[in-house]
Amino acid sequence: MDIIRIKDKQFAVSIPETDILRQVERIAGEINRDLADRNPLFLSVLNGAFMFTADLMKYVTIPCEVSFVKLASYQGVASTGIIKEVLGINEELSGRTVVIVEDIVDTGFTMQRLLESIGTRNPREIRIASLLVKPDKLKVPLRIDYAAMYIPNDFIVGYGLDYDGYGRNYRDIYTLCAAQEQNP
Ligand code: 5GP
Ligand code: MG
């Protein structure tokens, strides 16, 4: 399935599952090496990171915990810039190595908000693992410790990422076909 249609838009495969998994395995290897003695807590950001988190955790072989948080900042294909409250961090973060697991860092505002929120809970350190990074759109300085892939500024779906709630179930990553791009 090279072209898919979701609601009013067409998307074409841009990153096949095999390429995704190779990069996910690579960053898991870096995490295994860097955090072997840190007992990290992985905090997966729902909904978009669910598939990435599942695959990443299969390659992580060190002692660790996994939990989930939920934020909301996106509507349709353009970031609203408004980020709703962080929900559901119930774990004790004090003294812990926390690894935020995100689907994609775009402007970076969501990540910045999350870093601020987690930072108030006195963790030993916070690291960022992101499946995708759009480096040209970053608007805040962020150190992304583990980036599986860097991509251009196009809108993508699949492998957990949605367009208006749909498309999260596809195993490959798809890019919005040209001529349909919307400038926010
Ligand atoms: P930021 O706050 O970095 O601008 O946006 C982060 C969030 O926007 C991501 O966690 C993701 O949910 C959403 N997002 C950013 N770019 C894309 C994209 O190309 N496709 C989809 N489906 N969501 C995106
Ligand atoms: Mg996200």
Side-chain angles (χ1 to χ4, degrees):
M1 243 188 330
D2 285 352
I3 303 273
I4 55 168
R5 187 170 188 88
I6 302 176
K7 298 195 170 177
D8 55 328
K9 303 211 184 301
Q10 279 201 350
F11 297 83
V13 166
S14 51
I15 314 176
E17 182 186 30
T18 46
D19 293 359
I20 300 170
L21 291 179
R22 198 176 308 125
Q23 299 308 322
V24 171
E25 185 174 11
R26 175 182 60 78
I27 62 166
E30 294 173 11
I31 290 169
N32 288 332
R33 182 198 63 206
D34 295 350
L35 304 181
D37 56 357
R38 305 260 171 112
N39 182 30
L41 169 65
F42 290 90
L43 266 189
S44 169
V45 185
L46 295 172
N47 295 328
F50 80 94
M51 207 175 276
F52 170 46
T53 304
D55 285 333
L56 180 71
M57 298 320 300
K58 293 180 213 168
Y59 293 117
V60 168
T61 52
I62 59 176
C64 62
E65 291 179 277
V66 188
S67 190
F68 298 86
V69 294
K70 189 159 181 169
L71 310 172
S73 76
Y74 230 73
Q75 273 169 10
V77 295
S79 186
T80 59
I82 301 161
I83 292 151
K84 289 186 208 138
E85 265 308 296
V86 181
L87 299 176
I89 304 178
N90 298 319
E91 281 73 17
E92 174 61 59
L93 303 187
S94 155
R96 293 296 297 268
T97 290
V98 175
V99 182
I100 299 173
V101 182
E102 252 289 25
D103 53 356
I104 185 164
V105 175
D106 189 36
T107 61
F109 290 133
T110 308
M111 187 55 74
Q112 190 181 43
R113 175 73 179 48
L114 197 51
L115 286 172
E116 279 166 17
S117 164
I118 294 172
T120 63
R121 294 161 193 246
N122 209 23
R124 168 178 172 176
E125 62 178 330
I126 309 173
R127 298 197 179 206
I128 300 172
S130 188
L131 174 70
L132 299 159
V133 179
K134 292 181 182 170
D136 296 341
K137 283 193 79 179
L138 254 188
K139 292 206 167 60
V140 290
L142 281 182
R143 190 196 67 235
I144 314 228
D145 304 274
Y146 309 104
M149 293 168 289
Y150 292 91
I151 58 166
N153 282 348
D154 309 311
F155 185 79
I156 56 117
V157 296
Y159 197 74
L161 289 105
D162 72 307
Y163 167 52
D164 243 359
Y166 289 82
R168 296 191 194 277
N169 50 310
Y170 291 103
R171 49 179 67 225
D172 305 306
I173 289 174
Y174 293 78
T175 298
L176 182 63
C177 292
Q180 302 180 93
E181 299 282 359
Q182 284 184 5
N183 292 320

